[in-house]
Amino acid sequence: MNIAANPVVEADQTVYLKDYQKPTFLVESINLDIQVFADHTNVNSTLVMKRQTQGDLVLLGRDLELKSIQLNGEQLSNSQYVLDSEQLVIKNAPDHAIIETSVVIHPETNTQLEGLYLAGGDLFVTQNEPEGFRKITFYPDRPDVLAEFTTRVEADKKFPVLLANGNLLEKGEAGEGRHYAIWQDPTKKPSYLFACVIGDLAVLKGSYVTSEGRNVALEIYAEEKDIPKCHIAMEALKHSMRWDEEHYGRPYDLDNYMIVATSQFNMGAMENKGLNIFNTSCVLADEEFTTDAAIMRVQSVIAHEYFHNWTGNRITCRDWFQLCLKEGLTVFRDQSFSEDLQSAAVQRIDDVAVLKAHQFPEDSGPLSHPPRPDHFVEINNFYTATVYEKGAEINRMMATLLGKEKFRAGTDEYFKRHDGQAVTVEDWVAALTAGSGVDLSAFLTWYNQPGTPKLEAKGEYDALNQTYRLSFKQSLKPHPKYPNLKAVPIPVALALFNAETGEQYTLHSDALVENNVKDGVYLFDQLEASIELTGVTSQPVVSLLRNFSAPVNLVFNYTDEQLAFLMRYETNGFNQWQATQTLLERILLNGHDASIYIQAMKKTVPDVVEKDPLLASRLFDVPTEGYLGSRIDVEYNPDQIKQQRNALLDTLARELGSFCKETYLALDPAIQKDFSQAMGVRAIKNIMLSLIARQGDTDAFDFAYQQYQTTHNMSERLGALRVLVWNDAPQAKQALTDFYARFKDEPLSLDQWFMVQAAHPNATAQTIEALTQHPDYDLGTPNRIRSVSGGLSNNPANTWSFGVQHYIGLAKYLDEKNPILGSRLLQVLSRWYTLAEPQRSQVKNELEALKPLVKSKNVSETLNSMLSV
Ligand code: BES
Ligand code: ZN
């Protein structure tokens, strides 16, 4: 890797963590007056500011038309401040400064979905994290400036709903068919948590009484026809509120909590204080219109944004380098919450699958960065799998090591110390350390350096002494930008099984304490070390990193038989799954024989299907082509991977014989005891259906068509549709036509219709062209764009051929219209350099050709990094 090709431009715009300085002025309060008109919006603000350190008074502002500015009641002339496209600077400001500004903005033409924007016909919403507030008014728009907000919103009465953070103080007539509302938020907050909503929406109401006896009004705002789809979110919200009280001792702190759904949103959802704004895809949930996976996602996103109220809002980030402080912790919290909603093992499997499919590849390529980066050009580019998912893993490791009680003591200390503050990752680790009495400072290394550590382990059995010696070694691939990589603390959860009986050994405790092993977890924090386990009466099989206790690449020289053994006997559901994945990776990437895997599946699966259909459905996971590709660093050939994976699936289908059909016909989701069980049965049935189709059994299409037509459940309908479409069944066209007719007015369902077709294994450039030319395709709606480009990326063989044009075209088109999204979509191509020639050079040339055409910091930073390999 070498330095980015255009160092001059880069150096100019790069922000460094080491340059952090306190803001010169704090804001005690802000009074905002937002008047929305059809063709413009007036924003008047009054900031009460107070000097904190020496220096200029700096207000950030972007795309604002400044009408007037006053300082302590005096109009300022142009010579009294310096204004450029990013900021307004007042030199020699007095220590107490009341700044009043009037600006005009244009939410009605804002396509970037950042700041205040028109989100479809009759809804205006805001998105201010991380740096959107500066597009609403001049302000020290940084997270370490916390102020009390009072907001007046005024608009035409055709927008009956006027919302902002906090409590409603007043509302009334504003003349000329207009009205207003005044909201006041009693909690000090950074500007990125400001929100307001102006629109015509219906509302679902609920209520919740906190552990402190506070009665909270809960409101979910959505389009009238979608209100019936808001009940699952409402229940999830109440559940989250209870969960945070029970697990972290954190009650809610305001009298109301509002959620607003919009179909025009770049991300999933946003935790604005007391007024969350959600992508419809993360709030609307209904078995008829959305899939089981989407329903689970809604619940976890509701929890995530709610949990931010304490981890993010009450205690926020000092600067954006600390993003993983709030996101990593909150993801860890929402993952733990979700582990209580369904089988904990399956939740862990799904979370680790995401980590391995996105974070591991990110961390091994040109976009690799530490969970807490030390520099960036565009902070929006750092809402990454590394910040989120690896960030969550770091917290999980510390929680695993501490155990429940000490971890709670640590988080209690964090809330006690830092409530109301903007803090750093160091503050978090120090509070955990102080509260728990366990020194966790070594974990800071995890935050500060990039890369996935390789953990090599070896086991040696000594029959004479009945001991088992485990030696460990850790290493990181050298990184050009981070020359001093250090050893990290790695909690290794482990168990030994008797190879003959399949029973788990009870490990002798004295020896364990000596060896630094507590509750089955060994803390490996050196470059090399070994431990000795005693009382091991016969040759064991060891299971390492149970529950994925650390985000590392484990290398252990298991035999295939030992992996098959773990598939059968490991009682930790996660490691049972991991054993199948490791075995499959060997088959698919290293040419191992599939028969051991097939035999193990035959022996293991029938039992699991009966006892835990959801876990069984995951045991059928075969690493995706994308994941397999990400394990290859040179001469990657997507077509070859596709063929190998298909061959394996054909073998599996053939070998399972009649089991698939019998299971498919025997299971009935309608008679399960709860949602999670029914979801498992639906998942297994869909897998069986696809395997029957692979067997070439034409009954499969009749089953699928039947399932398609008779169900009222989206997971079943979509599972059937997928089998028909992807196998080009005779009924495919008819089913697609029917699906479109049924759901043409349901955007989230229609997204699935686009997705299924875009994800067809044999989709062509024409398939994608037809979808993007469809009247319902819309370049202004991120969800719709993602349904096609996300579907396409399901098939790397397609992505890396005609898909390249698609992604580059989108990046070019979105560069100015929606650079946040453009930059994200381009990242699909970030592993171009691993391709075998001639594809590698072809893609490289196309990326190079894009370079002079892009203007946004977002897309150009991503493109420069991608090309810097
Ligand atoms: N704070 C983010 C949302 C955000 C960040 C929106 C930056 C826009 C720009 C929010 O809490 C979040 O993390 N949302 C995730 C979902 C979550 C479950 C991980 C998202 O939107 O994908
Ligand atoms: Zn978040």
Side-chain angles (χ1 to χ4, degrees):
M1 245 183 263
N2 49 45
I3 310 285
N6 199 342
V8 183
V9 175
E10 277 262 297
D12 261 350
Q13 304 193 330
T14 306
V15 189
Y16 295 92
L17 169 60
K18 65 174 167 48
D19 293 342
Y20 172 82
Q21 288 193 321
K22 282 189 178 182
T24 51
F25 279 77
L26 294 180
V27 179
E28 286 179 350
S29 65
I30 167 170
N31 240 291
L32 262 180
D33 181 6
I34 300 177
Q35 300 161 5
V36 177
F37 294 91
D39 58 355
H40 72 285
T41 290
N42 297 328
V43 181
N44 302 321
S45 81
T46 305
L47 312 180
V48 179
M49 303 185 77
K50 203 171 139 189
R51 182 179 291 283
Q52 180 176 228
T53 64
Q54 288 310 304
D56 301 340
L57 190 157
V58 179
L59 301 174
L60 302 170
R62 189 180 296 158
D63 302 336
L64 305 174
E65 203 181 303
L66 181 62
K67 293 294 181 189
S68 77
I69 174 164
Q70 294 183 14
L71 168 60
N72 291 338
E74 305 275 329
Q75 199 72 36
L76 292 185
S77 64
N78 317 1
S79 63
Q80 291 170 289
Y81 57 87
V82 181
L83 176 63
D84 66 24
S85 64
E86 287 293 319
Q87 57 184 16
L88 188 159
V89 179
I90 303 174
K91 296 204 185 292
N92 307 317
D95 294 352
H96 292 267
I98 296 182
I99 304 272
E100 291 168 78
T101 63
S102 284
V103 302
V104 174
I105 57 175
H106 289 281
E108 73 282 358
T109 55
N110 177 353
T111 58
Q112 301 192 343
L113 314 188
E114 201 189 23
L116 177 64
Y117 62 93
L118 178 62
D122 36 25
L123 180 65
F124 290 86
V125 298
T126 51
Q127 172 53 43
N128 292 326
E129 184 182 359
E131 299 184 334
F133 193 68
R134 65 193 61 186
K135 295 173 74 173
I136 295 176
T137 192
F138 284 102
Y139 196 79
D141 182 20
R142 41 186 289 171
D144 55 354
V145 173
L146 278 64
E148 216 178 276
F149 278 68
T150 305
T151 311
R152 181 179 180 280
V153 197
E154 184 198 299
D156 192 288
K157 282 187 188 165
K158 75 174 187 197
F159 305 106
V161 174
L162 304 175
L163 308 176
N165 319 82
N167 302 311
L168 179 64
L169 284 191
E170 186 183 318
K171 59 180 181 183
E173 298 286 323
E176 296 177 12
R178 296 169 66 79
H179 64 160
Y180 73 92
I182 301 179
W183 295 80
Q184 187 170 49
D185 186 352
T187 341
K188 284 191 160 217
K189 66 164 177 288
S191 49
Y192 81 87
L193 291 174
F194 170 79
C196 67
V197 172
I198 297 104
D200 184 7
L201 293 173
V203 59
L204 174 70
K205 297 192 181 199
S207 70
Y208 178 80
V209 180
T210 70
S211 56
E212 295 175 325
R214 182 193 290 273
N215 204 323
V216 187
L218 310 176
E219 300 184 330
I220 303 182
Y221 290 85
E223 279 182 28
E224 182 88 57
K225 79 166 177 44
D226 289 332
I227 291 294
K229 308 185 189 92
C230 293
H231 292 279
I232 291 176
M234 179 63 86
E235 290 316 304
L237 176 57
K238 294 179 199 168
H239 189 176
S240 309
M241 293 176 114
R242 189 67 70 214
W243 194 92
D244 214 15
E245 290 171 356
E246 287 171 355
H247 293 78
Y248 286 83
R250 297 296 113 198
Y252 188 58
D253 57 355
L254 285 176
D255 297 333
N256 61 1
Y257 194 92
M258 300 175 279
I259 291 174
V260 175
T262 170
S263 54
Q264 305 280 314
F265 203 72
N266 273 339
M267 301 279 288
M270 177 64 209
E271 71 265 24
N272 316 301
K273 183 76 188 187
L275 177 52
N276 289 182
I277 295 176
F278 269 63
N279 189 317
T280 43
S281 71
C282 292
V283 61
L284 305 183
D286 183 299
E287 287 196 23
E288 188 179 348
F289 300 104
T290 65
T291 62
D292 291 341
I295 291 173
M296 294 307 291
R297 168 125 175 112
V298 164
Q299 300 180 73
S300 76
V301 181
I302 290 276
H304 179 97
E305 307 310 336
Y306 175 71
F307 295 159
H308 268 315
N309 192 55
W310 277 96
T311 51
N313 301 4
R314 292 286 291 247
I315 305 182
T316 193
C317 300
R318 186 192 72 172
D319 54 72
W320 290 120
F321 295 104
Q322 320 294 328
L323 181 59
C324 70
L325 172 73
K326 76 174 176 83
E327 294 304 345
L329 178 52
T330 306
V331 170
F332 171 59
R333 277 150 55 68
D334 82 54
Q335 290 178 348
S336 313
F337 170 83
S338 298
E339 282 171 16
D340 293 352
L341 293 184
Q342 60 170 348
S343 133
V346 171
Q347 182 65 36
R348 187 64 184 136
I349 289 167
D350 292 353
D351 290 336
V352 174
V354 168
L355 182 83
K356 291 194 176 182
H358 296 111
Q359 200 278 324
F360 278 26
E362 179 171 277
D363 222 353
S364 72
L367 302 179
S368 164
H369 54 276
R372 178 177 56 187
D374 52 12
H375 67 281
F376 60 73
V377 173
E378 169 55 63
I379 182 58
N380 271 300
N381 283 335
F382 285 81
Y383 287 77
T384 60
T386 297
V387 168
Y388 274 69
E389 265 69 48
K390 190 173 179 179
E393 293 301 320
I394 301 173
N395 291 305
R396 181 183 294 267
M397 284 189 285
M398 294 191 287
T400 302
L401 199 65
L402 293 181
K404 256 203 173 84
E405 274 166 35
K406 285 185 182 165
F407 183 66
R408 175 66 190 271
T411 59
D412 283 352
E413 182 65 21
Y414 178 64
F415 295 119
K416 190 166 118 203
R417 284 186 180 189
H418 298 300
D419 188 12
Q421 299 176 3
V423 303
T424 62
V425 163
E426 280 79 6
D427 294 324
W428 159 241
V429 175
L432 274 186
T433 295
S436 67
V438 178
D439 183 2
L440 297 168
S441 53
F443 280 89
L444 284 170
T445 308
W446 277 105
Y447 286 101
N448 291 329
Q449 64 189 26
T452 306
K454 178 156 96 179
L455 174 65
E456 289 170 277
K458 285 205 176 85
E460 226 179 303
Y461 180 58
D462 179 343
L464 199 61
N465 294 306
Q466 305 207 323
T467 57
Y468 187 69
R469 170 169 291 279
L470 269 168
S471 353
F472 296 94
K473 202 174 137 184
Q474 63 170 297
S475 57
L476 271 166
K477 210 168 70 182
H479 194 291
K481 288 195 219 152
Y482 299 86
N484 302 311
L485 299 172
K486 294 196 287 189
V488 286
I490 301 177
V492 185
L494 52 89
L496 291 187
F497 293 86
N498 185 317
E500 271 139 46
T501 64
E503 272 164 54
Q504 190 178 336
Y505 279 105
T506 325
L507 299 173
H508 286 204
S509 54
D510 305 353
L512 294 182
V513 174
E514 245 167 66
N515 278 314
N516 210 5
V517 182
K518 249 184 263 149
D519 301 327
V521 180
Y522 164 57
L523 181 63
F524 170 54
D525 55 4
Q526 317 282 306
L527 281 172
E528 286 186 49
S530 63
I531 57 173
E532 197 170 82
L533 305 169
T534 56
V536 186
T537 49
S538 69
Q539 176 71 45
V541 178
V542 67
S543 186
L544 294 167
L545 289 183
R546 294 181 105 197
N547 228 30
F548 209 56
S549 58
V552 300
N553 272 313
L554 174 67
V555 179
F556 188 88
N557 63 341
Y558 283 117
T559 62
D560 289 356
E561 287 79 5
Q562 285 173 324
L563 289 168
F565 171 94
L566 290 174
M567 283 171 65
R568 270 212 86 188
Y569 296 108
E570 171 55 295
T571 48
N572 177 259
F574 173 81
N575 260 20
Q576 187 181 15
W577 174 84
Q578 182 59 63
T580 65
Q581 299 307 296
T582 307
L583 194 45
L584 283 166
E585 232 182 279
R586 291 174 175 200
I587 296 165
L588 294 166
L589 293 178
N590 307 333
H592 285 214
D593 178 30
S595 56
I596 292 174
Y597 162 76
I598 300 285
Q599 288 316 313
M601 286 294 279
K602 283 186 182 169
K603 277 193 217 149
T604 311
V605 155
D607 247 18
V608 190
V609 168
E610 208 142 285
K611 286 198 204 104
D612 188 349
L614 192 60
L615 178 61
S617 71
R618 300 311 194 265
L619 294 183
F620 275 97
D621 282 348
V622 172
T624 63
E625 289 170 38
Y627 173 74
L628 293 166
S630 79
R631 308 295 285 178
I632 300 171
D633 283 329
V634 283
E635 305 273 314
Y636 165 43
N637 180 339
D639 287 311
Q640 192 188 334
I641 294 288
K642 177 178 178 171
Q643 277 173 21
Q644 266 153 355
R645 188 172 181 276
N646 276 329
L648 183 271
L649 284 169
D650 290 344
T651 309
L652 181 63
R654 181 166 18 88
E655 290 283 336
L656 285 184
S658 53
F659 173 80
C660 296
K661 207 167 187 170
E662 283 157 18
T663 305
Y664 178 80
L665 294 170
L667 289 176
D668 181 1
I671 57 169
Q672 305 303 316
K673 68 175 193 302
D674 57 20
F675 175 79
S676 161
Q677 200 81 6
M679 166 168 76
V681 166
R682 285 191 282 270
I684 270 289
K685 284 194 72 171
N686 281 340
I687 293 167
M688 294 302 108
L689 192 56
S690 67
L691 290 175
I692 309 170
R694 265 191 194 273
Q695 291 170 347
D697 184 338
T698 43
D699 278 356
F701 298 151
D702 295 333
F703 291 167
Y705 197 60
Q706 169 93 358
Q707 175 175 323
Y708 175 88
Q709 281 181 313
T710 54
T711 185
H712 293 286
N713 176 282
M714 184 53 90
S715 285
E716 291 189 88
R717 203 187 300 276
L718 202 59
L721 184 68
R722 201 175 279 142
V723 166
L724 295 173
V725 172
W726 290 2
N727 290 290
D728 302 311
Q731 302 92 326
K733 261 219 170 76
Q734 212 173 328
L736 277 172
T737 308
D738 176 87
F739 193 101
Y740 180 80
R742 260 178 217 272
F743 297 115
K744 63 180 186 318
D745 298 321
E746 294 289 341
L748 297 175
S749 310
L750 202 54
D751 285 341
Q752 299 295 336
W753 183 85
F754 277 93
M755 172 97 82
V756 168
Q757 297 177 77
H760 191 306
N762 299 325
T764 61
Q766 289 68 42
T767 315
I768 301 302
E769 175 72 9
L771 291 172
T772 57
Q773 293 301 320
H774 191 278
D776 290 301
Y777 187 76
D778 175 17
L779 282 165
T781 303
N783 288 355
R784 191 55 50 85
I785 297 180
R786 281 188 286 250
S787 66
V788 174
S789 61
L792 173 56
S793 73
N794 257 16
N795 293 300
N798 299 346
T799 300
W800 291 115
S801 50
F802 58 88
V804 174
Q805 281 297 336
H806 173 80
Y807 294 102
I808 289 184
L810 278 174
K812 202 188 315 177
Y813 175 84
L814 293 170
D815 177 46
E816 281 181 277
K817 297 204 170 59
N818 186 343
I820 294 177
L821 184 61
S823 169
R824 281 180 177 269
L825 294 175
L826 187 61
Q827 290 178 25
V828 171
L829 304 178
S830 67
R831 290 185 63 85
W832 63 271
Y833 64 94
T834 62
L835 290 167
E837 293 291 4
Q839 262 182 316
R840 185 183 192 278
S841 298
Q842 282 161 2
V843 182
K844 184 177 188 188
N845 291 340
E846 301 203 41
L847 289 170
E848 293 281 5
L850 178 63
K851 245 178 146 176
L853 306 178
V854 296
K855 296 201 178 77
S856 69
K857 281 204 281 182
N858 310 58
V859 180
S860 56
E861 180 185 31
T862 297
L863 191 52
N864 283 333
S865 301
M866 279 170 59
L867 285 166
S868 71
V869 289

